[in-house]
Amino acid sequence: MLAGIMVSSICFAESVPASTPAPIAKQNLVIVKTKIIEFLETQTIGYPGKVSVQAGAIDSNLKLAQCPDVQVFMPTGSKAWGKTSVGVRCNAPNVWTIYVQATVNVIAQYLVAASPLAQGQVVTSQDILFQSGDLTQLPAGVFTDQAQAIGRTINISMNAGTVLRQEMLKIAPVVQQGQTVTLTTKGSGFSVSAEGLAMAKANEGQVVQVKVASGQVVTGIARNGGQVEVGF
C-alpha cells in the first residue's frame, strides 16, 4: 500500500503600502505680490502726480494652498497711501488670509508760501509757489492746485517755504452781512436785477438771504462780486 502524500498549501500575502495623500499645491507668492500691486494701482487712480507702488516681502515659509481666485482688500483703518497694510485671502477650495506690508508713494507738486504771509492776508498768485515731493510724507490737506488757495485768507502768519495746508487758509466770504448785493433772476429770454441787503455772510455757492427795498426777504446763491442768483 502506497504511503499517502500530503501536500501542504502555504499562501503568501503580498504587503501593499498604504496610499500617500498627494501633496497640496502651494500658492505662487509672485502672483500674490502682482495682485497686490494691481489692486493698489487701481485704488490710486486719480491721485495727482506720479504714483509708485511696492509690495513688501511675503514669508516664503508660509504654507499657503494654491488659490484659483486670490482676493486683495484694504483692512479696516488702512488706505492706499504711504506705508500701509493690504489683506489677501482665499475663500475656496482652501481658506486662508494673510496681511502684507506695502508702500504707495505719490510724487507731485504742492504749494508753499513764496514769502512771509501775515494773518488776515488774502492769497494771490505772487504769494505762493510750487515745490515737488512725496505727498505721502507731508501733512494731510496740502494744496496741489493754485486755484484751491488763491483768494483764501491766511489764518495764521507763516514763514516763506511753509507748506500750505487747508487748515491754514480760510475761504473768504463773497458776501458780507449788511452788504448791498445785486440780485439777479434769469428765466427763458429775460433777466431781472435788483439790489438788496445781505442778511448774513456767505461763501461762493452758499445760500444767503437778502432783504429787498419792499422789505421782502428772498433767498439766493452767493457769487463773487457781491452777486446773488435767485431761481425763477
Side-chain angles (χ1 to χ4, degrees):
M1 181 170 145
L2 296 175
I5 299 176
M6 181 177 292
V7 178
S8 174
S9 175
I10 302 176
C11 296
F12 295 91
E14 183 179 357
S15 177
V16 180
S19 58
T20 303
I24 298 176
K26 290 182 63 177
Q27 174 63 46
N28 186 331
L29 298 183
V30 173
I31 293 177
V32 173
K33 293 186 71 171
T34 300
K35 292 282 188 181
I36 292 173
I37 293 173
E38 290 175 348
F39 172 79
L40 289 174
E41 288 176 342
T42 299
Q43 294 290 306
T44 56
I45 291 175
Y47 281 14
K50 182 180 179 181
V51 178
S52 62
V53 175
Q54 291 182 317
I58 303 175
D59 187 355
S60 59
N61 293 320
L62 287 175
K63 298 185 182 300
L64 301 177
Q66 191 174 47
C67 184
D69 185 23
V70 173
Q71 297 180 2
V72 185
F73 63 96
M74 296 300 303
T76 302
S78 294
K79 60 181 181 178
W81 190 264
K83 292 188 180 299
T84 188
S85 179
V86 178
V88 185
R89 64 182 164 221
C90 181
N91 293 323
N94 300 283
V95 179
W96 51 260
T97 301
I98 61 172
Y99 295 90
V100 181
Q101 298 300 305
T103 304
V104 176
N105 298 112
V106 183
I107 306 300
Q109 290 188 319
Y110 56 92
L111 290 174
V112 301
S115 58
L117 300 179
Q119 183 178 10
Q121 181 176 342
V122 177
V123 177
T124 68
S125 58
Q126 286 72 41
D127 298 322
I128 53 181
L129 56 81
F130 281 111
Q131 286 189 358
S132 183
D134 186 356
L135 299 187
T136 69
Q137 302 302 308
L138 297 176
V142 300
F143 291 92
T144 58
D145 185 349
Q146 279 190 329
Q148 297 172 328
I150 292 175
R152 295 197 179 198
T153 303
I154 304 296
N155 273 338
I156 183 171
S157 298
M158 63 188 75
N159 297 323
T162 301
V163 178
L164 298 181
R165 305 194 306 274
Q166 293 189 20
E167 64 191 39
M168 296 176 173
L169 308 179
K170 63 181 178 181
I171 300 174
V174 295
V175 170
Q176 297 287 350
Q177 184 175 5
Q179 177 184 350
T180 299
V181 297
T182 301
L183 294 167
T184 303
T185 303
K186 295 181 180 180
S188 179
F190 73 91
S191 176
V192 178
S193 296
E195 288 189 345
L197 293 178
M199 300 183 67
K201 65 180 181 180
N203 298 329
E204 169 73 23
Q206 286 188 325
V207 175
V208 63
Q209 290 186 320
V210 178
K211 180 182 288 187
V212 295
S214 65
Q216 180 184 2
V217 176
V218 296
T219 300
I221 304 299
R223 299 300 183 194
N224 281 314
Q227 303 289 318
V228 176
E229 295 179 355
V230 180
F232 176 72

